Amino acid sequence: MLSFDGTFLKSESLNGTNLKFPLHGPQRRQILNFQNSMAKNPKAADSRRGRPPTRRPQPSRAKEVPAASSADIEDLAPAVPGAAAAAAAAPAVLRAQLLRWYDVHRRDLPWRRASGGEEERAYAVWVSEVMLQQTRVPVVVGYYERWMARWPTVRDLAAATQEEVNEMWAGLGYYRRARFLLEGAKQIVEKGEFPRTASALREVRGIGDYTAGAIASIAFNEVVPVVDGNVVRVISRLYAISDNPKESSTMKRFWEIAGQLVDPSRSGDFNQAMMELGATLCSKSKPGCSGCPVSSHCQALALSLENPSVKVTDFPRVVPKAKPRSDFAAVCVVQIAQGLEEEVTDAKGTDNLFLLIKRPEEGLLAGLWEFPLVLVEEGKTDSLNRRKAMDKYLTKLLSIDVGWKSDVILREDVGEHVHIFSHIRLTMYVELMIINLKDGVDRLCKKEDDKLKFTNESSVESMGLTSGIRKVYNMVKAFKEKRLSVSEKGQVPTRKRSRRLK
């Protein structure tokens, strides 16, 4: 059914999806004039609808209802040439305008230059789309190029280890994405072929609706939509959708509209054009409406021009994020100084080892390596309580070899670092502890398992640590360099501390 509210032509399909198209100029004036005439002459309206006129009491002027949007636009269409066809024509016009703009203005990105067959193209799209989730394009470009140089095909990736993948991914965050990429690659290689449809792609570990749609449309030209944050922003402004974008019913509506808009002959290019528009001109806070190729279709823009209190940036609705919980942790960088005299508090040399612990395979930062870390209560973040908690943890951890003793020749607080996750604000209290194990180091290293290892400084420098743990390591490194500089200048170093670990 079509209707008109004074500014927009509204179309409601049989499946309940509502679409709105702004009308301007002569068409809008014709519809308004016709509505006014129908309101003033009810008999004429009844006659046009094919109903017999009825006698009605004449309302007084004080109660007269202004000309409103009560008339069905389907009934009015013959009096307004072209108006009824506007709803059907608008998507086709929008597609053409958007694709023309994309052909000229699209950014030159490495994954858009991927060569080879459809499977190679699909793999390139997959890697890039996973990297781009929650990460800006300029950051991704370098990671993508290094990744593809090392693993140019899905079969190359399937042969990699999780350690190698984590090392390559280090710094991108959301490390579960890297694990899913590797697991998905192994699954595809095991089946023997790359899935070619969105429904088949969704069966691959870690591939959801959005990634499946992107791969299927861009690599295999399947006519399926994609909806990411950029597309949500574009659609919500085109159709002035003010509903909460986080609600499932609203997201379903976005997917339905995107499915109706996608170009049947250039689905991949159209989906990329929608994302490109949202990432560039149709930005969150500073949309470039004057240069937008589809601004004539934008209801949010039309509303903002007619009502100063409405802004394009009001769409989509901004939903306040849940406040992240605050966690506190003691982090101890344990350095095993082999063959060092106890008077030397600034350990140097290639023989020194660092203790690293592997996180559980499920949960936050699953399967990644870090320095010993213990969560502490907010009220027990003082040095004494932190060290008690850490000592208990280390004693339990290192009790794998009973009978050896070690001297702690240096233990000092280094500083604090706050690391922000999507839902956690983690304050890490960092300390450095240098241990002289004397003759016990060999026996301790023999007890390594898949959850504990000792690695030298050069390996720590190159391995794939998370950005938070890398910051901790750099803090300790700077602390040691400062102490060494003070020592070389002849100033009195901090007094050595010695104690026993049991």
Side-chain angles (χ1 to χ4, degrees):
M1 183 180 71
L2 298 177
S3 60
F4 184 66
D5 65 1
T7 301
F8 301 111
L9 184 66
K10 301 180 180 180
S11 171
E12 181 176 352
S13 63
L14 293 177
N15 64 6
T17 301
N18 295 314
L19 300 179
K20 297 162 64 179
F21 307 95
L23 293 181
H24 307 283
Q27 287 186 341
R28 181 185 176 198
R29 286 194 295 273
Q30 283 179 301
I31 294 177
L32 288 174
N33 291 337
F34 198 86
Q35 285 180 330
N36 287 335
S37 68
M38 292 299 100
K40 293 177 181 179
N41 192 350
K43 292 182 179 180
D46 287 338
S47 176
R48 186 170 292 275
R49 294 188 179 97
R51 296 195 294 264
T54 57
R55 297 181 62 85
R56 302 174 185 174
Q58 293 293 324
S60 64
R61 288 200 175 271
K63 296 182 180 180
E64 186 173 304
V65 179
S69 56
S70 57
D72 288 344
I73 203 69
E74 290 170 326
D75 297 326
L76 305 181
V80 187
V93 174
L94 184 148
R95 292 176 193 137
Q97 292 171 336
L98 184 59
L99 285 169
R100 280 197 299 270
W101 170 83
Y102 177 71
D103 289 340
V104 175
H105 297 284
R106 63 180 176 183
R107 290 170 292 178
D108 182 24
L109 300 172
W111 44 89
R112 290 176 178 166
R113 302 193 301 266
S115 58
E118 288 181 334
E119 287 199 4
E120 287 75 13
R121 174 73 167 154
Y123 173 63
V125 173
W126 182 26
V127 172
S128 66
E129 290 297 341
V130 172
M131 286 186 173
L132 286 166
Q133 295 169 19
Q134 308 293 333
T135 311
R136 296 179 297 107
V137 169
V139 176
V140 167
V141 169
Y143 278 91
Y144 172 84
E145 291 176 336
R146 290 190 294 272
W147 181 286
M148 297 302 288
R150 185 164 184 178
W151 301 301
T153 70
V154 68
R155 289 168 179 77
D156 294 322
L157 176 58
T161 67
Q162 189 65 63
E163 291 285 333
E164 292 171 330
V165 169
N166 288 342
E167 181 177 333
M168 183 67 70
W169 196 271
L172 270 179
Y174 298 91
Y175 289 84
R176 185 173 63 171
R177 297 179 294 171
R179 189 170 78 252
F180 284 164
L181 266 174
L182 179 59
E183 293 176 1
K186 292 180 183 295
Q187 183 180 342
I188 290 172
V189 170
E190 183 178 344
K191 289 187 175 181
E193 62 178 356
F194 208 109
R196 301 177 64 87
T197 65
S199 59
L201 284 161
R202 282 192 287 268
E203 299 298 321
V204 176
R205 173 76 164 162
I207 294 184
D209 291 339
Y210 163 75
T211 306
I215 298 171
S217 63
I218 298 172
F220 303 112
N221 207 32
E222 184 182 5
V223 184
V224 289
V226 298
V227 176
D228 69 348
N230 290 319
V231 175
V232 164
R233 186 160 55 255
V234 171
I235 290 178
S236 67
R237 290 173 180 175
L238 281 174
Y239 301 108
I241 298 174
S242 59
D243 297 332
N244 185 347
K246 300 296 184 182
E247 293 181 355
S248 59
S249 59
T250 309
M251 282 303 301
K252 182 180 179 181
R253 185 181 180 191
F254 283 133
W255 276 97
E256 290 174 348
I257 294 175
Q260 294 173 0
L261 289 177
V262 65
D263 191 278
S265 59
R266 296 181 60 188
S267 56
D269 286 341
F270 181 83
N271 286 335
Q272 290 183 92
M274 288 284 282
M275 293 186 284
E276 188 85 347
L277 183 64
T280 56
L281 289 180
C282 198
S283 62
K284 289 183 180 180
S285 57
K286 295 181 180 180
C289 299
S290 61
C292 178
V294 293
S295 60
S296 61
H297 303 266
C298 185
Q299 296 178 24
L301 177 60
L303 288 172
S304 69
L305 294 176
E306 294 195 1
N307 187 343
S309 66
V310 178
K311 299 179 181 179
V312 172
T313 52
D314 291 340
F315 305 90
R317 184 200 299 184
V318 177
V319 180
K321 292 183 179 180
K323 184 179 179 180
R325 75 170 190 259
S326 294
D327 284 351
F328 306 87
V331 181
C332 185
V333 177
V334 179
Q335 180 177 335
I336 301 173
Q338 303 181 68
L340 294 176
E341 298 296 331
E342 290 192 359
E343 289 76 11
V344 181
T345 59
D346 294 289
K348 297 177 65 178
T350 57
D351 291 336
N352 301 319
L353 301 175
F354 291 91
L355 172 63
L356 293 173
I357 311 298
K358 192 175 186 180
R359 292 184 62 86
E361 294 298 334
E362 298 293 333
L364 185 68
L365 304 177
L368 298 175
W369 293 96
E370 65 184 8
F371 298 112
L373 182 150
V374 180
L375 291 176
V376 295
E377 297 178 12
E378 183 176 2
K380 296 183 178 181
T381 59
D382 59 281
S383 180
L384 179 60
N385 279 299
R386 295 198 318 268
R387 291 188 177 185
K388 283 183 179 179
M390 182 57 67
D391 288 350
K392 182 177 180 180
Y393 175 66
L394 289 176
T395 300
K396 179 180 179 180
L397 183 71
L398 300 178
S399 64
I400 52 178
D401 189 4
V402 180
W404 60 268
K405 296 181 179 180
S406 60
D407 289 329
V408 178
I409 60 177
L410 172 70
R411 188 173 191 178
E412 291 193 19
D413 290 336
V414 174
E416 300 176 14
H417 172 61
V418 177
H419 191 73
I420 306 297
F421 298 94
S422 59
H423 58 296
I424 300 173
R425 184 180 188 274
L426 178 63
T427 301
M428 294 184 284
Y429 298 89
V430 183
E431 66 172 335
L432 168 65
M433 181 163 62
I434 301 178
I435 303 176
N436 192 331
L437 291 180
K438 298 181 180 179
D439 297 330
V441 66
D442 292 335
R443 285 180 294 166
L444 182 61
C445 291
K446 289 179 182 178
K447 298 295 184 178
E448 286 188 11
D449 57 26
D450 60 349
K451 297 181 181 179
L452 179 153
K453 70 178 179 180
F454 299 90
T455 185
N456 59 34
E457 190 165 353
S458 62
S459 296
V460 174
E461 292 278 359
S462 62
M463 70 184 302
L465 299 175
T466 68
S467 56
I469 296 301
R470 177 66 62 188
K471 176 64 177 179
V472 167
Y473 176 73
N474 289 338
M475 288 172 61
V476 169
K477 186 177 177 181
F479 173 81
K480 291 162 62 179
E481 290 174 351
K482 183 178 180 180
R483 285 185 57 87
L484 181 61
S485 175
V486 170
S487 178
E488 289 176 346
K489 290 179 180 179
Q491 300 183 30
V492 178
T494 303
R495 184 177 179 180
K496 173 260 305 180
R497 298 187 52 171
S498 179
R499 56 178 294 188
R500 297 282 183 178
L501 282 182
K502 298 181 180 179

